[in-house]
């Protein structure tokens, strides 16, 4: 029986010049962390490819499924190891790919010769192997324009490899290669997508969620933790800081003009989230805001909100419409949870006629009616941390 393994390709990392080994090492580390507990075997990298070779080929499907959520990987495939001899490659390809090739009609063969010492060129390898497969399987015809399957042969330094089809990876940069940020995680559609997109650039996340008991119940809290659990597949070791926000919201409602409630609330959230960020070593805040989607997300409102932040605020979905955000939410598996009908702390205290073009001086004047420092301190001191 032919030896099987997983071939992992990565793209953007290749362009990192002298820093490339750092990113490759980070990716290998994340791959090891994502493998099943039952994994026994070897992992190594060479020529812009990572090789995961399990002792038990039965777990390859599980390995591939897990690694599709590891940022930095562009594609994965189950491959078969062949000797670097053209006759052995032809027979091995027919043996390995028989279950696939016997069930289709149109195919083509391609080859990549990474080992330039191999006597045949890439087109010659493809011609030899493709011709042999065409002779072995009477159902097959060659179709280089619209094949059902592409047989790929790679000749590398140690061995040759053959496979059909590739599984698309998550892409991006290895998690942890670009510092850390704190995500303001609500129960809606947008913020989980914003977190996913930030993590895809190699930024490790933790999260804050603002919880207004009894105005929001345990089901709303559980909904947010379910979203965080889904995100933890892409961002392992995900800490969610549950911030008690009721007293702050009641104070704002009592002491500030109704049309300013949302803006002042958002500014207070930024202050609290920044406290969490600094305590956890995060260098930026991440929100799911999109221009014009709601009253607090006009350009003027965002500018007033950001005026209170002492660190960068990332908004990955800022220029997306709802349909684009929903498409990503479905792709990453958060959409169905996000639309569960449990209110979050924002919607409970939404004014009837919010100010869409707030002025910073007027907002700051209203905030003088609040003991901002105490509200922030009490909320931060009451944080519950849930580790996922």
């Amino acid at each position: 029986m032919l030896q099987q393994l997983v071939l992992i390709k990565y793209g953007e990392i290749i362009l990192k010049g002298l820093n490339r080994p750092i990113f490759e090492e980070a990716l290998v580390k994340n791959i090891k962390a994502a493998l099943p507990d039952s994994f026994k075997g070897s992992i190594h990298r060479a020529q812009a490819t990572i090789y995961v070779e399990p002792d038990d080929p039965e777990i390859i499907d599980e390995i591939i499924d897990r690694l599709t959520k590891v940022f930095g990987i562009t594609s994965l495939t189950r491959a078969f190891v062949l000797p670097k001899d053209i006759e052995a490659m032809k027979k091995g390809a027919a043996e390995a790919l028989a279950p696939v090739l016997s069930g289709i009609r149109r195919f083509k063969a391609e080859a990549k010769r990474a080992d330039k010492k191999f006597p045949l060129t890439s087109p010659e390898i493809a011609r030899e192997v493709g011709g042999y497969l065409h002779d072995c399987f009477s159902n097959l015809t060659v179709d280089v324009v619209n094949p059902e399957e592409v047989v790929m042969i790679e000749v590398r330094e140690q061995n040759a490899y053959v496979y059909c089809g590739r599984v698309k990876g998550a892409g991006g940069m290895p998690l942890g290669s670009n510092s850390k940020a704190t995500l303001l995680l609500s129960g809606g559609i947008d913020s989980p997508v914003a977190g996913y997109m930030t993590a895809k650039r190699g930024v490790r996340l933790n999260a804050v969620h603002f919880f207004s008991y009894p105005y929001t119940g345990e089901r709303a809290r559980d909904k947010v933790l379910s979203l965080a659990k889904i995100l933890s597949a892409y961002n392992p070791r995900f800490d969610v800081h549950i911030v008690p926000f009721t007293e702050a919201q009641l104070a704002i409602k009592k002491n500030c003009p109704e049309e300013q409630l949302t803006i002042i609330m958002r500014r207070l959230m930024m202050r609290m989230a920044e406290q969490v960020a600094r305590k956890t070593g995060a260098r930026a805040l991440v929100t799911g805001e999109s221009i014009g989607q709601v009253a607090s997300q006009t350009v003027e409102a965002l500018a007033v909100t950001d005026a209170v932040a002492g660190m960068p605020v990332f908004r990955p979905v800022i220029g997306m419409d709802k349909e684009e955000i929903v498409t990503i939410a479905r792709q990453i598996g958060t959409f169905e949870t996000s639309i569960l009908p449990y209110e979050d702390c924002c919607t409970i205290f939404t004014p009837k006629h919010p100010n869409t073009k707030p002025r910073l001086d007027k907002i700051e004047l209203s905030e003088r009616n609040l003991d901002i420092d105490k509200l922030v301190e009490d909320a931060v001191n009451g944080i519950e941390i849930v580790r996922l």
Side-chain angles (χ1 to χ4, degrees):
M1 181 178 294
L2 294 172
Q3 180 185 353
Q4 300 179 46
L5 78 166
V6 179
L7 290 182
I8 299 171
K9 306 292 180 135
Y10 48 91
E12 189 175 349
I13 296 173
I14 297 172
L15 305 177
K16 294 302 177 181
L18 295 177
N19 291 324
R20 174 175 162 180
I22 298 173
F23 290 93
E24 289 178 330
E25 289 169 8
L27 180 56
V28 170
K29 179 181 178 181
N30 293 342
I31 288 171
K32 289 179 179 178
L35 292 174
D37 292 339
S38 60
F39 175 82
K40 292 181 180 179
S42 65
I43 303 171
H44 66 279
R45 57 184 169 89
Q47 297 177 296
T49 301
I50 297 173
Y51 304 77
V52 177
E53 303 181 38
D55 294 342
D56 179 9
E58 294 297 321
I59 66 169
I60 283 182
D61 286 340
E62 182 182 1
I63 289 172
I64 291 175
D65 181 64
R66 285 170 172 259
L67 295 186
T68 56
K69 298 179 176 66
V70 174
F71 292 122
I73 295 174
T74 57
S75 67
L76 315 89
T77 189
R78 176 194 292 263
F80 296 83
V81 183
L82 305 175
K84 288 171 59 175
D85 171 82
I86 191 61
E87 294 302 320
M89 289 161 60
K90 292 192 292 187
K91 294 177 182 178
E95 176 188 344
L97 302 181
V100 175
L101 298 180
S102 60
I104 64 170
R105 292 179 59 83
R106 305 182 312 278
F107 90 111
K108 73 172 180 178
E110 295 182 354
K112 178 179 178 181
R113 187 186 61 160
D115 180 6
K116 302 306 180 184
K117 295 179 182 178
F118 192 76
L120 299 180
T121 65
S122 296
E124 289 170 340
I125 296 169
R127 224 171 12 249
E128 287 285 335
V129 175
Y132 183 84
L133 295 175
H134 181 266
D135 293 341
C136 286
F137 298 91
S138 59
N139 55 297
L140 288 181
T141 59
V142 176
D143 187 340
V144 297
V145 177
N146 188 33
E148 294 172 73
E149 292 287 351
V150 177
V151 174
M152 188 70 195
I153 309 100
E154 296 190 19
V155 180
R156 294 180 170 268
E157 291 182 357
Q158 299 299 323
N159 297 292
Y161 305 90
V162 66
Y163 55 87
C164 272
R166 292 180 179 177
V167 177
K168 185 177 179 181
M173 299 296 294
L175 191 69
S177 62
N178 279 310
S179 194
K180 188 175 184 179
T182 294
L183 170 67
L184 280 70
L185 181 63
S186 72
I189 297 171
D190 304 337
S191 60
V193 171
Y196 166 84
M197 294 178 67
T198 303
K200 186 174 181 177
R201 298 310 305 159
V203 180
R204 186 173 294 281
L205 298 175
N206 58 31
V208 294
H209 173 67
F210 297 93
F211 185 52
S212 295
Y213 183 84
Y215 299 97
T216 52
E218 289 298 323
R219 288 192 300 180
R221 176 183 180 276
D222 292 343
K223 171 186 173 180
V224 170
L225 292 178
S226 295
L227 289 171
K229 180 66 175 177
I230 296 169
L231 288 177
S232 71
Y234 303 94
N235 181 80
R237 302 183 297 280
F238 194 20
D239 289 352
V240 181
H241 298 73
I242 309 293
V243 181
F245 200 55
T246 308
E247 293 305 316
Q249 286 190 289
L250 291 174
I252 296 169
K253 187 174 180 62
K254 179 180 178 181
N255 296 290
C256 300
E258 182 185 4
E259 68 274 12
Q260 297 178 351
L261 295 184
T262 302
I263 297 298
I264 294 176
M265 180 186 69
R266 291 295 295 174
R267 283 165 58 88
L268 205 55
M269 286 179 169
M270 288 292 188
R271 290 179 171 101
M272 295 173 183
E274 186 173 334
Q275 290 284 323
V276 172
R278 296 195 183 282
K279 287 185 177 182
T280 59
R283 302 296 183 87
L285 304 177
V286 181
T287 80
E289 291 160 313
S290 173
I291 291 177
Q293 192 171 120
V294 296
S296 65
Q297 296 176 19
T298 62
V299 171
E300 293 85 352
L302 293 174
V304 171
T305 301
D306 280 3
V308 78
M311 59 175 53
V313 181
F314 299 154
R315 295 183 171 94
V317 302
I318 192 71
M320 292 186 177
D321 60 34
K322 201 66 175 185
E323 184 177 349
E324 292 172 310
I325 298 171
V326 166
T327 297
I328 298 175
R330 291 185 185 278
Q331 171 194 327
I332 65 177
T334 57
F335 179 76
E336 294 300 329
T337 302
S338 290
I339 62 174
L340 292 174
Y342 307 135
E343 300 285 4
D344 64 23
C345 66
C346 300
T347 56
I348 297 296
F349 291 89
T350 301
K352 291 182 180 179
H353 303 288
N355 187 350
T356 59
K357 295 184 178 181
R359 283 175 46 184
L360 179 59
D361 57 342
K362 290 187 175 182
I363 296 297
E364 291 177 335
L365 182 62
S366 297
E367 287 180 340
R368 293 179 187 175
N369 298 322
L370 303 171
D371 189 344
I372 296 288
D373 291 342
K374 187 175 189 308
L375 290 173
V376 172
E377 181 181 1
D378 288 349
V380 172
N381 288 340
I383 284 176
E384 173 196 0
I385 301 176
V386 179
R387 303 185 188 280
L388 300 173

